[in-house]
Amino acid sequence: CGGFIYTFGAGTLGTLSVVKSPTVSLGIGRWRLKFQTFRYGSSINKMDVILQMQATQEEILVASLVGQHERSADDPWESHEYDISALAQRGPFNILLNGYRGSSSRCQMAVDSVVIEDCSACINNGGCPNRTACNDNDSLISAPNVTCSGCPSYASFDVQRQECVCETGASVSFPAGRMQCSPCLPGTFCVDEQVFVCPTGSFCPNTSMAAPFPCGVGFYSTAGAVACDSWNVCHAPALTEGHTFGIPRVEINDRISFLTPADLDSDGDMDLIA
């Protein structure tokens, strides 16, 4: 049914309790040390996370967790994550979790789910949570056994960026921390993984569009249109700055723009764009 380790509250202030891992040898990679703690107690002192290099016995402080964190017995455990890639390249090491007793018995600290993960293994296989992160179900000191899924639908692996990227015409989201790409729906278009409503004076009839189509001369549209309507002075919208008439002029949002009523001649006719 599982369990966890914890420091007992007996002893005097500053009494040291040490949890030492087996020797770990990793080499080159994008290594992350992850674990969870529960520190609920008004007299908690601190816990130091240390990498002890086997060759020299040098102790390198990775993190120092000081004082109480949780405020009730029902609070969730706190997650911790540290990049140890540079230290791992220096040779074999041991992980030390040093717990120091506080000023009273209310100073117990618990540790669980200690893992080391190689994110480069995930990256090379593409499509992990949050584009590059590893999965959370690998056992202690079994970093080479990382498993990742491929890039999600409507995404591909970008070698230069070393992560999954949504394809042209798709937007990105991260439900439950996992990357998801969705094609833009009719009436919208996608640029740089973001969704934009098709602007007035244009139409977006298809899914996965990367840019809107401008309405032709004599046609108009409102925002989010999937088609343009023919211009009729009796039924068309009033000429306001919000409406456009389908002739590209300059870029907007670094992409596209259309003529506005300000581009009409002095008597308000459309003969300048006819």
Side-chain angles (χ1 to χ4, degrees), residues 55-223:
T56 62
Q57 295 300 297
E58 177 187 6
E59 295 186 358
I60 302 170
L61 181 66
V62 175
S64 186
L65 310 178
V66 180
Q68 174 177 313
H69 182 267
E70 285 67 39
R71 298 299 171 181
S72 79
D74 298 323
D75 283 353
W77 288 54
E78 182 184 16
S79 296
H80 306 269
E81 180 177 321
Y82 303 99
D83 187 341
I84 59 171
S85 303
L87 296 176
Q89 294 182 38
R90 295 176 55 180
F93 61 87
N94 301 94
I95 302 169
L96 305 182
L97 302 177
N98 292 354
Y100 295 86
R101 187 186 185 278
S103 57
S104 75
S105 60
R106 296 182 177 181
C107 63
Q108 297 180 166
M109 297 176 286
V111 181
D112 197 6
S113 303
V114 182
V115 297
I116 293 178
E117 295 177 339
D118 181 5
C119 287
S120 59
C122 285
I123 290 172
N124 293 335
N125 197 25
C128 297
N130 293 324
R131 298 183 189 265
T132 58
C134 296
N135 293 329
D136 295 328
N137 57 357
D138 301 291
S139 58
L140 177 64
I141 317 304
S142 63
N145 299 323
V146 175
T147 56
C148 296
S149 60
C151 290
S153 300
Y154 305 103
S156 58
F157 188 71
D158 188 306
V159 176
Q160 183 175 3
R161 291 172 53 176
Q162 286 290 290
E163 62 184 15
C164 292
V165 178
C166 291
E167 296 174 351
T168 300
S171 63
V172 70
S173 59
F174 294 92
R178 291 185 176 271
M179 183 182 184
Q180 176 177 300
C181 295
S182 304
C184 287
L185 300 177
T188 67
F189 65 101
C190 288
V191 177
D192 297 332
E193 300 184 331
Q194 299 182 62
V195 182
F196 297 91
V197 176
C198 205
T200 55
S202 67
F203 66 111
C204 300
N206 306 318
T207 58
S208 303
M209 291 191 63
F213 296 138
C215 293
V217 174
F219 290 83
Y220 76 96
S221 71
T222 56

Side-chain angles (χ1 to χ4, degrees), residues 18-53:
V18 180
V19 175
K20 184 175 183 178
S21 76
T23 299
V24 183
S25 183
L26 299 176
I28 297 175
R30 294 183 62 178
W31 303 103
R32 297 186 308 169
L33 172 63
K34 299 173 63 177
F35 58 92
Q36 293 182 313
T37 62
F38 196 87
R39 293 175 290 132
Y40 172 49
S42 57
S43 299
I44 284 177
N45 191 342
K46 70 172 181 174
M47 177 186 299
D48 287 341
V49 182
I50 294 170
L51 261 59
Q52 183 183 57
M53 308 310 298

Side-chain angles (χ1 to χ4, degrees), residues 238-245 258-265 268-269:
L239 298 182
T240 67
E241 290 297 330
H243 290 92
T244 55
F245 302 100
F258 303 93
L259 289 175
T260 71
D263 299 296
L264 303 181
D265 61 10
D269 291 335

